[in-house]
Amino acid sequence: MDYDAVIVGAGPAGLMAARKISSKGFSVLILEKEKDLGTRACAEAVSVSAFETAEIPPSQSLISNTINGAYVFPPDETKGVRISGGDYRGYILNKQQFLYALASQAVSAGSDLKMRCEVKDVKMEGENAKSLIYSHKGEDKEVTFKYLIGADGVGSRVAKLCGFDLSGFEIIPTIQYVMVNCKVPERDIIRIYMGNEVAPLGYVWIFAKNEYVANVGIGVRGKPAKPYLDKFIASHPDVFEGAKVVKEGGGGVPVGGQLREIVKGNVLLCGDSAGQVIPITGGGIRTSMGAGSIAGACIAEALESGGSG
């Protein structure tokens, strides 16, 4: 089957791009390899402006907690700094529900969304991609298109198969526990812990989702993440004594900045696959949505002008 655009990855970037293209009347196929949206571990913190970028109104079904400030702790935690007041405000998302909302908008605009579809190969003619082969329920299928977007995150198959220059694409390990029965003081204030003994060249976060659940995670550079997170939890019994891990997840976060090359022929990368995260914090939800929105608008404009790669 032929589409105007095929998008690999149903995360914030891919879903925003799909909506932008479909809303102009063009055919879009979104391929997602997982069986559900939002399966990747995520701290889920965003600024209030994230909903403006998403072009959807904030609602209680999409928000787990409202954040009114942050504590930043150096190695000597008695010297922690509180940042709050003014316009400092954000949310801890229910990211899965948030992605469902973005998916609903994309599908409503006309996008075709298929889950459990793993990219096997991309057929190229010069620098242009002509078709993509993906596996769905054990069957290989081929789809053709005018434009291809790789929004498939760290380790992007699209980037590798289409020969993008990935030099300088630095990835750091992260791990996050979802924990219950944490005694987090001031649940509307996120907590960041820094220092080489705590998290080498990274930080630990404690983000309360509500009175029962908290996201507790770490990102480090040049070291394994899990031992440092376990050590941190053990050294803070005031918060974690009696708490239990109910979910564990992890993954890589690109921190080297945007790739030098994000467009090649009729193929475009956006989101984590293009390194479009905030290098200092590793946050990528809003930047990915913004990148996806721009990518989708550009491809829609090219299609309107009769471009085909």
Side-chain angles (χ1 to χ4, degrees), residues 79-117:
K79 298 179 180 179
V81 176
R82 177 180 171 132
I83 305 168
S84 61
D87 294 330
Y88 195 101
R89 191 161 170 266
Y91 301 114
I92 306 298
L93 295 174
N94 181 328
K95 189 183 176 185
Q96 188 170 62
Q97 292 298 320
F98 186 74
L99 289 178
Y100 287 162
L102 293 182
S104 180
Q105 294 282 346
V107 171
S108 176
S111 296
D112 186 7
L113 172 60
K114 294 185 178 181
M115 306 297 294
R116 302 185 75 171
C117 294

Side-chain angles (χ1 to χ4, degrees), residues 31-33 116-121 132-136 140 157:
L31 299 174
E32 170 56 51
K33 71 176 182 179
R116 302 185 75 171
C117 294
E118 185 171 357
V119 174
K120 295 296 185 180
D121 197 13
L132 179 148
I133 298 171
Y134 66 95
S135 176
H136 179 63
D140 286 351
R157 291 282 291 162

